[in-house]
Amino acid sequence: MNTLDVIRITALTATLFNVALTILVLARDSKSMLNRVYLAWGVSVTLWNLGVFYLSQPISHDEAFAWAKVLQLGVIFMPVTLYHLCVIISKAQRASLLVPWLYLVHTGFAVSLAFDKFIINVRQLDVGYWSVPGIGFHLFGASYCFVTTALVYIIYRKQKGAPPTQKRRMRSLLLAIVGLWVFGTNDMMPILGRDTYPFTHIKFYPLGSLAAVFYVVVIGYSVLQHRLLDISVTLSRFAAQAVRVMFMMLFGFLLLLLISRLAPGQFTMFTFVASGVVLLLSALSASLLFPQLFGKGSDTLERKILGDKFEYHARVQNLIQTMRSFPEPEYLLHELEELLAGTMQIKSYQIFLLDDTTRGLKMFHCHPAQPDAGAPDILMDSPVVRFFQHTRSKFLSCNEVYETDNETHLQRDARRQLRGFEPELCFPFFVSNDLIGTMLLGPKRNGDLFTPHDVRLLTELTSNVGLLLNQIRLRQQLQVVHEQDLLGRMSRGLAHDLNNLLTPVQTLLQLFREAGLNQETIDELLPMSLRNLETVRTYVNEALFFSRSAKIHGKLGLLDETAREAITLATPQGEAKNIRFTFPIFTEAAIEMDSVLIKRLLVNLLSNAVDASPAGSEISVELAELPKTEMHRQWFRLKIIDNGEGISQENLRRVFTPYFTTKNTGDGKRGSGLGLAIARHIVQLHGGNLSIISKEKKGTTVNVDLPSKLNPEQPVAPVPSRGRLEFAT
C-alpha cells in the first residue's frame, strides 16, 4: 500500500467520523445555537477531508481543480465557524463582536474562489493534487493566522478563571483545537510552494486528515464526559463500551498505518480495510460477549482513561476532590445539581440538615425547587433517624423493588415515613457517630434502576458531602457567635463614648435648671456641649450606614477624577498642618462605581493620613492598573502613602473593628472608631479589596483595589467624556 492509499484511508476515516459526530450533535438538539454553529463547522471539516480524499485519487486535471475548490470552500469557513463555536462555549462577549465581520470577510473569500481568485490552478505531487494559491488565498492566510491565534488565546485565558466544570470542557476543546491547528497548518506548506520541511530535505507529508480524526475523538469524548456542547447524553454502560471501542479502533488504525509504512509491499488497500473491519468486529464482540475482559485485574487505569468516566465515577471523584475548597454551600449545591440532575438524570432529590433550634432534620435544599412545599421536619425520634442511628446503614432503599427478605419493622416504618417524597434511596450524613442530615434521591428520568455501582459511588459522595455541609454549618455557627461578640463590643464602646460625650451636656442642663449659672461657666460648657452633640450625630449617622441597604447603583465614571475631587476636599485639612498632596496621573481608570461613596471613602482615608502625618510632610496618592486576571474586566489600585508614625502590629489587626480608635485626644477630633470599618464596607460593596501595610515610625500605605465593572458578565458601557480639570498637586 503506497502513500496515496494511506492518505485516502485517513481522509475517508476523518470524513466518516466527523459526519457521525455532527449528526449526533444536531439530532440531540437542533434548536440550540451552539449545535447549529457546530453543524456549520462540521460541514466545513467534511468538505475539507472529502476534498483531500478525491484529490488523492487518479483523476483528471479539471476534476482535481473542481475538488480543490470544494476543499478550499471548507477551509475558508473552518476558522470563522470554529471561532464562533469557541466564543459561544467560552461566553466571551467582547470577542463575539467580531463574528459578523469575520463571516462577511470569509464570505468574500468564498466569492473570490468562484472567480478563480482564491486558487488559480492545481499541481500534482507525490501525495496527490495540491492547490496553487491566488491573491485571495494570501489574504486568507493573514486572516487565518489572526483568527486561530485569537481563539486559542481566548480559550486559554477563559479557562484559567472558569469554574472547575467549565474549565474541563474548555481544556478539552483547547487540546483538540491546538492539535488541528498545528497539523492543519502543516498541510498549507505545498500551497505556499514548500515541498520539503524548512532546513531539511525531508519531503512534505500531509497530516491534516489524521489530526481531524484525533479532533473528532477528543470532541466526542468531551461531549460525553464534560457536556461540551448542548447535548444531554444518558451515560450508561453502552456509552462506556462505545468509547472503549472507539479508542481501540483509533489505536488499531494508527498501528496499521505504522505497519503499512514499515512494510509497504505487504499491504494493499483491501488488506488494510479488511484488517480494520476485523479489528472493529473483534472489539465489538469482545465488549458484548466478554465484558469482564475489559476490566480484568485492577480497573484504575480503565476508569481513568476509558470506562467509568461515562458512568459517574470520574465526576463523583472530581467533585469529592474539589468540594473541600468550596467556601459557601451555593457552590456545592450547584455542582451537586449538575451531577445528580444533569449527569445521572435523577428526577428529584431533597437534602435535610440538622437544625440546632428544633433539634430535628429540616429541609435545606431540594430539586426541583419547591419554595412553597413546606416539607415537615424529620424529628430526632422518627423512624428514619432511629433506623440510621441503630443500624449505621449506608443507605435506605425506599422502593419495593430493592426490598430484601430480612427487612425489619424499623426499616418498613422509615420507608413509610418517607413515602410522601417518592424517593428511591435515602443516604445519611454522618459525622463521627452523629447523624447530621439525609439526602433523598428520586427515580431516574429514563426509568432505570440504581445499580450496585451507582449505590457505591453515591455512598462515597454523600459521606464527603455530609462532612463539608457540617463544616459549613459549624462555620456559620461560629460566625453568629463572632457577630454576637462583635455586637457586644460595639455596644460597650458606643455606650462608653456616648456617655462621655453627653456628660458636659447633662452638666450644662442641670446648671440651667438650678439657675446658678454665670456667663463664664456658659462660655466654657456651651461650646463643648455643642461640639459633643455634633460628634454624637456623627456617631449615629455612621452607625446607621451599616443598617442601611447594602446595595449600590454604580455608574461608569473616572476614578482618577473622583480621587482628585477627594484630594480637593481634604486639602484644607492638609494645609492646616502644611501637608502637601501629590497625585501623578499615568492611568485613566474608568470604572463602575457610586461616586459619592467612593469620594467619602477616599476623603476618610486622606483625613486619616493627614492626622497621622507630621507637619510639613507629604502624602502621595498613586493610581495604577493591576495585571489582568479576568477576561471581561480590569482592576485598578489606588495607593495612599503617608510618612507618619505608622501602626503597631497589634493595632493593625484591629483597625477594621468597629468602634476601635487610637485617636483618644478627648476633644472634637476624637475618632468614632467607624471610619475604616465604613471604608472597607464601601470597598466590599464595589466588589473590591482594602488592605493596609504599616510599620511603626515608617509610615502607612493603604491599598484600595477596585474592578472596572461591578458585574463581570455585563457588557462594557461607554466611557464618559472627560471634562476639563485644572488641579495643582
Side-chain angles (χ1 to χ4, degrees):
M1 186 172 68
N2 57 30
T3 301
L4 288 174
D5 291 333
V6 174
I7 295 173
R8 292 170 197 147
I9 292 173
T10 306
L12 188 59
T13 302
T15 301
L16 295 176
F17 271 42
N18 185 75
V19 169
L21 180 59
T22 304
I23 292 174
L24 170 67
V25 171
L26 192 66
R28 287 289 177 173
D29 186 0
S30 60
K31 296 181 180 180
S32 166
M33 174 59 72
L34 180 60
N35 292 353
R36 289 181 179 181
V37 175
Y38 190 88
L39 171 65
W41 156 253
V43 170
S44 301
V45 177
T46 300
L47 292 177
W48 169 38
N49 285 285
L50 202 60
V52 172
F53 173 76
Y54 278 101
L55 289 174
S56 61
Q57 302 280 2
I59 56 178
S60 67
H61 183 274
D62 292 340
E63 290 177 311
F65 191 38
W67 277 108
K69 289 185 177 181
V70 172
L71 181 151
Q72 295 300 338
L73 182 62
V75 169
I76 286 172
F77 285 101
M78 279 174 59
V80 63
T81 52
L82 184 57
Y83 181 88
H84 193 182
L85 189 74
C86 295
V87 165
I88 296 176
I89 292 175
S90 63
K91 299 179 181 179
Q93 295 179 348
R94 287 186 180 179
S96 64
L97 300 176
L98 285 177
V99 170
W101 297 102
L102 289 176
Y103 274 115
L104 182 62
V105 170
H106 284 250
T107 300
F109 291 141
V111 172
S112 71
L113 180 65
F115 291 95
D116 296 344
K117 299 298 183 182
F118 193 82
I119 58 173
I120 58 177
N121 206 342
V122 291
R123 63 190 182 103
Q124 191 169 16
L125 304 176
D126 294 340
V127 290
Y129 286 97
W130 231 258
S131 302
V132 177
I135 186 172
F137 186 89
H138 292 294
L139 295 175
F140 167 78
S143 175
Y144 172 81
C145 293
F146 168 76
V147 173
T148 50
T149 304
L151 68 89
V152 169
Y153 174 79
I154 290 169
I155 294 293
Y156 175 75
R157 290 299 300 269
K158 189 70 177 179
Q159 60 88 27
K160 291 181 69 177
T165 303
Q166 191 177 2
K167 181 177 291 186
R168 290 191 291 270
R169 295 173 187 168
M170 288 191 287
R171 283 181 176 174
S172 300
L173 180 63
L174 183 63
L175 173 65
I177 290 172
V178 170
L180 193 62
W181 179 31
V182 172
F183 293 107
T185 305
N186 171 82
D187 285 13
M188 288 190 177
M189 288 179 53
I191 302 178
L192 301 176
R194 301 285 308 191
D195 296 341
T196 59
Y197 288 101
F199 311 110
T200 69
H201 297 289
I202 302 174
K203 286 187 176 182
F204 160 80
Y205 191 85
L207 298 171
S209 296
L210 185 60
V213 176
F214 273 105
Y215 174 85
V216 173
V217 171
V218 172
I219 293 298
Y221 179 88
S222 303
V223 165
L224 289 174
Q225 181 179 352
H226 301 313
R227 295 179 67 188
L228 180 65
L229 304 175
D230 286 344
I231 299 179
S232 179
V233 179
T234 301
L235 306 179
S236 62
R237 175 65 64 177
F238 174 77
Q241 295 295 77
V243 174
R244 288 185 177 98
V245 172
M246 183 174 68
F247 270 95
M248 287 187 63
M249 285 300 300
L250 175 62
F251 289 123
F253 180 75
L254 294 176
L255 289 174
L256 285 174
L257 284 180
L258 178 61
I259 296 173
S260 67
R261 299 301 296 161
L262 295 177
Q266 305 300 318
F267 273 84
T268 63
M269 179 71 76
F270 173 79
T271 57
F272 190 94
V273 174
S275 300
V277 173
V278 169
L279 177 63
L280 175 61
L281 294 177
S282 300
L284 288 173
S285 300
S287 64
L288 295 175
L289 301 177
F290 309 103
Q292 292 300 321
L293 180 64
F294 288 90
K296 184 178 180 181
S298 174
D299 62 350
T300 302
L301 182 61
E302 178 186 15
R303 283 177 176 169
K304 188 174 181 60
I305 300 178
L306 305 178
D308 290 332
K309 274 186 176 279
F310 307 102
E311 297 174 274
Y312 331 133
H313 183 88
R315 288 174 180 258
V316 172
Q317 293 298 328
N318 288 337
L319 181 56
I320 291 173
Q321 292 172 6
T322 58
M323 70 169 60
R324 301 180 189 278
S325 62
F326 294 163
E328 299 294 338
E330 287 76 14
Y331 296 94
L332 172 63
L333 295 177
H334 173 75
E335 293 289 340
L336 199 62
E337 181 171 329
E338 186 160 331
L339 173 66
L340 298 178
T343 302
M344 300 185 73
Q345 298 290 298
I346 294 175
K347 282 185 179 180
S348 62
Y349 63 88
Q350 299 85 27
I351 296 177
F352 287 81
L353 284 183
L354 178 63
D355 183 49
D356 293 314
T357 58
T358 63
R359 297 308 299 171
L361 302 182
K362 190 178 184 66
M363 175 80 79
F364 175 71
H365 178 73
C366 65
H367 173 83
Q370 300 174 357
D372 301 324
D377 295 352
I378 300 176
L379 302 179
M380 297 307 289
D381 60 348
S382 63
V384 173
V385 176
R386 285 190 285 113
F387 169 77
F388 285 120
Q389 287 179 335
H390 292 171
T391 65
R392 312 296 297 177
S393 178
K394 294 182 178 179
F395 70 96
L396 168 66
S397 59
C398 303
N399 191 326
E400 294 180 357
V401 177
Y402 303 103
E403 287 187 5
T404 58
D405 296 335
N406 57 350
E407 183 182 24
T408 64
H409 291 289
L410 186 58
Q411 188 173 357
R412 281 197 298 271
D413 293 341
R415 185 182 293 117
R416 191 179 302 115
Q417 182 186 2
L418 298 175
R419 187 174 299 164
F421 298 99
E422 299 181 355
E424 293 277 296
L425 298 168
C426 176
F427 293 89
F429 295 147
F430 276 109
V431 176
S432 298
N433 295 322
D434 299 326
L435 181 73
I436 60 107
T438 60
M439 181 169 69
L440 309 181
L441 296 184
K444 296 183 180 180
R445 291 195 185 97
N446 58 8
D448 289 348
L449 297 176
F450 287 90
T451 65
H453 180 64
D454 293 337
V455 175
R456 179 175 63 83
L457 292 175
L458 289 168
T459 300
E460 184 179 359
L461 174 66
T462 51
S463 64
N464 286 273
V465 170
L467 290 173
L468 180 60
L469 288 176
N470 187 60
Q471 290 174 4
I472 294 174
R473 187 173 66 91
L474 293 177
R475 190 159 59 239
Q476 290 175 341
Q477 291 176 353
L478 289 175
Q479 184 176 356
V480 171
V481 173
H482 174 71
E483 289 174 353
Q484 291 175 341
D485 178 63
L486 179 60
L487 181 61
R489 286 189 281 114
M490 289 172 59
S491 300
R492 290 192 298 271
L494 182 61
H496 179 268
D497 285 349
L498 291 180
N499 183 62
N500 290 340
L501 290 168
L502 292 175
T503 296
V505 180
Q506 183 182 19
T507 302
L508 179 62
L509 293 176
Q510 286 176 344
L511 291 175
F512 266 119
R513 185 182 64 181
E514 295 171 359
L517 199 61
N518 55 42
Q519 189 61 40
E520 183 179 352
T521 305
I522 293 175
D523 293 340
E524 179 182 355
L525 291 178
L526 186 58
M528 182 186 301
S529 299
L530 292 174
R531 186 171 62 241
N532 286 8
L533 285 176
E534 186 63 30
T535 304
V536 169
R537 176 179 293 182
T538 302
Y539 264 72
V540 173
N541 288 334
E542 291 186 344
L544 285 174
F545 183 83
F546 288 101
S547 64
R548 291 173 183 149
S549 174
K551 291 183 179 179
I552 59 173
H553 302 285
K555 294 182 180 180
L556 197 64
L558 296 171
L559 181 58
D560 48 325
E561 285 189 359
T562 304
R564 287 185 178 276
E565 293 172 4
I567 293 174
T568 301
L569 294 175
T571 297
Q573 183 183 354
E575 290 176 346
K577 295 180 65 174
N578 194 26
I579 292 175
R580 187 168 63 95
F581 292 100
T582 62
F583 186 28
I585 289 293
F586 300 106
T587 303
E588 180 182 280
I591 70 170
E592 279 185 300
M593 61 178 173
D594 186 322
S595 58
V596 174
L597 289 182
I598 293 296
K599 196 181 302 181
R600 175 179 180 177
L601 157 76
L602 297 178
V603 169
N604 194 324
L605 296 178
L606 291 169
S607 177
N608 288 346
V610 171
D611 289 342
S613 299
S617 62
E618 178 181 282
I619 295 175
S620 176
V621 182
E622 299 177 1
L623 174 63
E625 182 178 349
L626 297 176
K628 192 172 180 64
T629 58
E630 298 182 26
M631 181 64 69
H632 297 298
R633 63 180 182 178
Q634 298 169 300
W635 281 79
F636 298 94
R637 170 170 291 176
L638 261 174
K639 284 186 177 182
I640 299 175
I641 307 169
D642 67 61
N643 299 305
E645 292 297 315
I647 307 172
S648 67
Q649 291 302 309
E650 179 183 356
N651 288 339
L652 193 60
R653 290 191 292 267
R654 303 171 60 192
V655 290
F656 293 115
T657 303
Y659 297 106
F660 171 77
T661 180
T662 57
K663 299 178 184 179
N664 295 317
T665 58
D667 57 11
K669 295 182 179 179
R670 174 183 170 81
S672 67
L674 286 174
L676 285 177
I678 289 176
R680 184 171 66 171
H681 189 54
I682 292 174
V683 173
Q684 289 175 343
L685 287 176
H686 286 78
N689 302 296
L690 177 66
S691 59
I692 299 178
I693 303 171
S694 182
K695 288 186 178 181
E696 288 188 275
K697 308 300 182 182
K698 293 187 178 180
T700 300
T701 299
V702 181
N703 295 323
V704 180
D705 297 341
L706 294 170
S708 60
K709 292 195 298 178
L710 299 177
N711 185 351
E713 298 301 325
Q714 287 180 344
V716 180
V719 179
S721 59
R722 179 186 292 272
R724 183 180 178 185
L725 287 176
E726 295 182 359
F727 182 81
T729 53

